[in-house]
Amino acid sequence: MKYGYARVSSQDQNLARQLQRLKEVGMDRIYEEKISGAINERPELMKVLKRLKPGDELYVIEMERLGRNNEYLTHIFMEVYLKGAKLVILDLPTFDDIDDANMRNFLRNIFIETKKFQAESERKRIRIRQRQGIELAKKRGGL
């Protein structure tokens, strides 16, 4: 089975871009969620992870759709791997053209670890910007 997972952070955001991309690559089922990636217990993500069986594939358009916490992302990767399924992140290179499996896995792992670091760093930057905005609003009497 090919499962897709689409997530945005808030109710007023739109899933259309993600859903279109997932449909283009032919999902059997797509799980959708409107919940912050900072929250690890996401019901739809939990459903699809529980459903995975050996040989299944879980697709997301970008790693940040799974979350922005390095440790939690590692947990998701391991859960998919231990179930014998495959995680496909559409905005990452596959390195499939590299014949040497060890080299292919090495490059994939380096790239994934770098993206996990970037995802968590971006979340930290978002929180800093939010705090700064709140402080400025308080100074102006807006809060």
Side-chain angles (χ1 to χ4, degrees):
M1 290 283 288
K2 288 173 73 171
Y3 297 104
Y5 177 71
R7 182 194 62 78
V8 290
S9 297
S10 65
Q11 292 296 320
D12 61 333
Q13 291 178 314
N14 191 313
L15 289 163
R17 174 183 69 95
Q18 293 178 59
L19 296 175
Q20 178 183 344
R21 183 70 179 109
L22 291 169
K23 287 175 185 173
E24 287 172 358
V25 292
M27 298 297 102
D28 295 309
R29 179 158 183 202
I30 298 174
Y31 290 79
E32 305 174 24
E33 206 147 44
K34 291 188 174 189
I35 189 170
S36 171
I39 298 170
N40 291 342
E41 296 301 319
R42 287 176 262 137
E44 294 302 306
L45 179 59
M46 297 300 109
K47 283 180 192 175
V48 69
L49 290 174
K50 285 180 185 174
R51 183 163 248 192
L52 290 176
K53 294 180 177 47
D56 286 347
E57 297 175 340
L58 174 59
Y59 286 73
V60 293
I61 68 162
E62 54 200 18
M63 188 180 306
E64 293 82 3
R65 300 305 91 213
L66 292 173
R68 294 188 180 272
N69 176 290
N70 191 341
E71 185 177 318
Y72 186 67
L73 285 167
T74 299
H75 168 77
I76 292 171
F77 280 52
M78 287 303 299
E79 187 166 343
V80 172
Y81 173 78
L82 291 173
K83 289 183 174 246
K86 180 179 178 182
L87 178 61
V88 180
I89 302 169
L90 294 172
D91 76 336
L92 296 183
T94 64
F95 301 105
D96 287 344
D97 57 334
I98 297 175
D99 293 331
D100 184 319
N102 287 330
M103 179 59 74
R104 186 173 52 249
N105 289 335
F106 173 72
L107 292 172
R108 204 176 275 148
N109 288 340
I110 287 175
F111 207 86
I112 286 170
E113 289 302 318
T114 302
K115 290 293 280 186
K116 285 171 31 184
F117 170 79
Q118 288 173 330
E120 186 166 330
S121 295
E122 177 60 18
R123 176 70 188 140
K124 289 176 183 175
R125 286 191 298 274
I126 289 169
R127 293 179 72 184
I128 289 168
R129 290 191 300 263
Q130 285 173 334
R131 277 195 302 272
Q132 291 169 341
I134 291 169
E135 288 174 18
L136 288 173
K138 285 180 180 177
K139 287 179 183 176
R140 290 190 306 256
L143 289 179

